[in-house]
Amino acid sequence: QSNLGTAYADLAAIKHREENLWRAIQAFEAALQYLTPDTAPLDFADTQRNLGLVYRDLGDIEKAIYCWREAEHHYRQMGRIEDADMMQRGIDSWINGTE
């Protein structure tokens, strides 16, 4: 489901943008039914990051930031500090209006 979400997000750049972005959201949310912080924390974080990108592309910055905060938190827990810091910089840039 996560791979399907990525495929729909990529397809949105080529055709039927909004329709494919919504399909990406559905696929990522379906993936999160199985990829939980307890069962697959890194996959959960990656999926939250990607879901945030789709929400950003749809203009829903509030939901994007929520997803990115989830990703940032779990990247830190997994010791992926570079990824966590990247998420935090992205969040900061959106909040400060520099993105």
Side-chain angles (χ1 to χ4, degrees):
Q1 288 295 319
S2 188
N3 290 337
L4 182 59
T6 300
Y8 278 129
D10 290 345
L11 185 59
I14 299 168
K15 64 179 184 178
H16 309 293
R17 182 180 182 280
E18 193 166 321
E19 178 182 331
N20 283 315
L21 289 174
W22 282 110
R23 286 180 176 163
I25 287 172
Q26 291 174 335
F28 286 135
E29 288 180 349
L32 290 172
Q33 297 294 313
Y34 302 97
L35 303 174
T36 69
D38 294 328
T39 62
L42 186 54
D43 290 332
F44 174 83
D46 288 342
T47 302
Q48 287 286 5
R49 179 195 65 220
N50 292 333
L51 183 56
L53 292 172
V54 173
Y55 277 123
R56 179 205 61 195
D57 290 349
L58 283 169
D60 192 336
I61 301 308
E62 185 176 315
K63 285 184 181 176
I65 288 173
Y66 173 82
C67 292
W68 293 335
R69 286 192 193 284
E70 286 289 306
E72 185 265 336
H73 173 77
H74 292 287
Y75 282 139
R76 279 200 201 288
Q77 283 190 329
M78 295 300 298
R80 301 279 298 264
I81 303 305
E82 189 173 310
D83 290 328
D85 289 347
M86 181 181 67
M87 291 283 83
Q88 187 59 56
R89 283 191 303 274
I91 292 166
D92 291 345
S93 70
W94 276 104
I95 290 173
N96 297 323
T98 59
E99 179 66 26

